Amino acid sequence: MRREKSAGAVVFNSRLNKYLLLHYPTGHWDFPKGHVEPRESEVKAAKREVFEETGLEIDILFGFREIIKYHFRERDVLVEKKVIYFVGITEQEDVKLSYEHDGYLWLDYEDALNKITYDNSKKVLMKAHLFLKNLGYSS
């Protein structure tokens, strides 16, 4: 089994009071994320991946770090994927999608929760929303 580590962010627009979801060509809606490079911190990887995939600069709100794990097959090899999510804040609205995605939406919490495809990502959003509410960001 091969192991991969990625980092990403639940991106929250503090002016819009909305969350960013990306549409992947495989058909699912999720958060921006990508591989952690050798000798790169998880936070730096998350910020880099968000920028590469969306063109957005984010500030990481420390105190939130959620890990999800799942398995998938790639060319008959079982891969164990570990993704570390942070909460990233931005006031930018204009998303510049990379080739890795074919759509995006800024959604309020309820709509984002309903749009996200995978249950483990829904749980990350629920925890991130509570975290933001506790900080006074989200209604």
Side-chain angles (χ1 to χ4, degrees), residues 20-24 28-32 53-54 97 101 103-104:
L20 177 67
L21 294 182
L22 301 181
H23 190 253
Y24 288 73
H28 67 282
W29 290 91
D30 209 344
F31 309 113
E53 294 183 3
T54 68
L97 284 180
H101 308 286
Y104 75 92

Side-chain angles (χ1 to χ4, degrees), residues 46-106:
K47 290 179 78 167
R48 177 183 52 76
E49 286 292 338
V50 168
F51 183 76
E52 287 177 1
E53 294 183 3
T54 68
L56 299 174
E57 298 276 353
I58 60 169
D59 292 319
I60 298 293
L61 294 181
F62 291 96
F64 184 92
R65 182 180 180 272
E66 284 294 317
I67 299 171
I68 63 170
K69 293 181 183 179
Y70 56 92
H71 295 87
F72 64 93
R73 286 204 173 275
E74 186 175 78
R75 294 183 217 100
D76 294 328
V77 175
L78 185 62
V79 179
E80 179 185 75
K81 180 87 160 196
K82 175 174 147 181
V83 184
I84 297 96
Y85 283 110
F86 300 96
V87 170
I89 297 290
T90 189
E91 291 189 354
Q92 294 175 265
E93 293 178 46
D94 295 328
V95 174
K96 296 172 187 73
L97 284 180
S98 73
Y99 69 92
E100 298 175 78
H101 308 286
D102 57 16
Y104 75 92
L105 292 169
W106 286 109

